[in-house]
């Protein structure tokens, strides 16, 4: 968490070197799912063979702050967001609350339209299963990195973004049953992100 806070401070401080800088708030909807479940095929059957299953796409939400600064025609847009996701698997629901830190670079391509892409850092605040007796532990890596890419419209102080987020690699959360049948769930989400923002 200290590394995430330090990175945020460094990125926000770099706005002092920019030609133009703005700051604002944003929020919106997430639609997607966390990664693959690997474990027993039926939570009620301790002797069932292992299988793999992807989470069912579900809706979540995010809200937070952003800063945007432009240097020689390219803008950099770091964001600090709280994100809540709730994904469904066959035998349980997987609920996750996290802090996201996307750091995107982009260009204005036509009027108010821009395109952007960059890494997205993820720090998980809570990680739990619902509607099951299975128990889950912490994730493999405290901070993991994925990517985001998308397009946006700026209409004065208002902005609208549509992005896709994917993962460079898995970041498994490990769980256990009452027996030796352990399981894993990949905590990195693949999702679409729709946001509205307001710049001060």
């Amino acid at each position: 968490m200290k590394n995430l806070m330090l990175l945020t401070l460094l990125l926000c401080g770099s706005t002092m070197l920019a030609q133009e800088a703005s700051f604002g708030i944003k929020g919106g909807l997430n639609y997607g799912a966390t990664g693959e479940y690997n474990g027993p095929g039926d939570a009620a059957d301790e002797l069932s063979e292992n299988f793999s299953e992807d989470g069912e796409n579900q809706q979540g939400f995010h809200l937070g702050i952003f800063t945007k600064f432009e240097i020689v025609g390219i803008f950099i847009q770091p964001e600090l967001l709280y994100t809540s996701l709730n994904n469904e698997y066959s035998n349980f629901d997987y609920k996750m609350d996290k802090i996201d830190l996307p750091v995107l670079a982009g260009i204005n391509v036509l009027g108010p339209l821009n395109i952007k892409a960059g890494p997205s850092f993820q720090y998980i605040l809570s990680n739990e299963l619902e509607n099951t007796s299975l128990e889950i532990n912490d994730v493999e890596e405290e901070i993991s990195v994925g990517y985001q890419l998308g397009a946006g419209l700026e209409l004065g102080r208002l902005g609208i973004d549509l992005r896709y987020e994917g993962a460079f690699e898995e970041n498994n959360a490990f769980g256990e049953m009452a027996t030796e049948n352990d399981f894993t769930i990949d905590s990195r989400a693949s999702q679409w992100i729709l946001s509205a923002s307001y710049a001060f």
Side-chain angles (χ1 to χ4, degrees):
M1 186 64 175
K2 291 180 180 178
N3 293 334
L4 189 63
M5 294 174 64
L6 179 60
L7 181 58
T8 303
L9 290 173
L10 289 173
L11 289 168
C12 292
S14 64
T15 59
M16 297 178 64
L17 302 175
Q19 295 174 350
E20 298 180 19
S22 61
F23 171 83
I25 56 175
K26 66 176 302 183
L29 300 176
N30 301 53
Y31 183 75
T34 46
E36 192 173 65
Y37 163 85
N38 287 286
D42 187 343
D45 182 1
E46 296 178 351
L47 300 178
S48 62
E49 295 183 358
N50 286 2
F51 86 122
S52 297
E53 176 190 16
D54 291 325
E56 182 179 337
N57 287 340
Q58 295 290 319
Q59 184 175 295
F61 70 90
H62 64 275
L63 54 91
I65 58 175
F66 72 92
T67 184
K68 181 178 178 180
F69 51 95
E70 186 171 335
I71 303 175
V72 294
I74 299 175
F75 67 82
I76 307 296
Q77 185 171 322
E79 302 173 354
L80 187 61
L81 306 169
Y82 167 79
T83 301
S84 180
L85 301 172
N86 190 11
N87 293 282
E88 290 187 1
Y89 292 83
S90 294
N91 300 304
F92 54 81
D93 295 336
Y94 177 42
K95 181 173 175 56
M96 181 171 60
D97 297 320
K98 59 180 183 153
I99 297 294
D100 287 318
L101 177 62
V103 185
L104 308 180
I107 57 173
N108 298 312
V109 292
L110 181 63
L113 178 66
N114 62 66
I115 55 173
K116 62 195 80 173
S120 181
F121 301 87
Q122 170 180 284
Y123 177 81
I124 295 179
L125 297 172
S126 66
N127 178 53
E128 57 190 39
L129 301 182
E130 298 179 340
N131 304 318
T132 181
S133 60
L134 299 179
E135 296 182 0
I136 196 164
N137 301 316
D138 293 334
V139 294
E140 215 170 355
E141 299 292 337
E142 187 176 62
I143 297 175
S144 60
V145 185
Y147 63 89
Q148 291 186 4
L149 52 90
L153 285 173
E154 290 188 0
L155 306 171
R157 293 182 179 272
L158 297 176
I160 300 173
D161 264 2
L162 178 62
R163 304 177 192 168
Y164 176 78
E165 180 180 84
F168 290 121
E169 58 184 6
E170 294 182 351
N171 187 28
N172 285 322
F174 295 91
E176 55 191 23
M177 301 180 67
T179 67
E180 296 181 354
N181 289 326
D182 295 339
F183 64 91
T184 62
I185 300 175
D186 179 17
S187 66
R188 285 297 318 191
S190 298
Q191 59 184 340
W192 289 96
I193 304 170
L194 178 63
S195 305
S197 62
Y198 182 82
F200 297 108

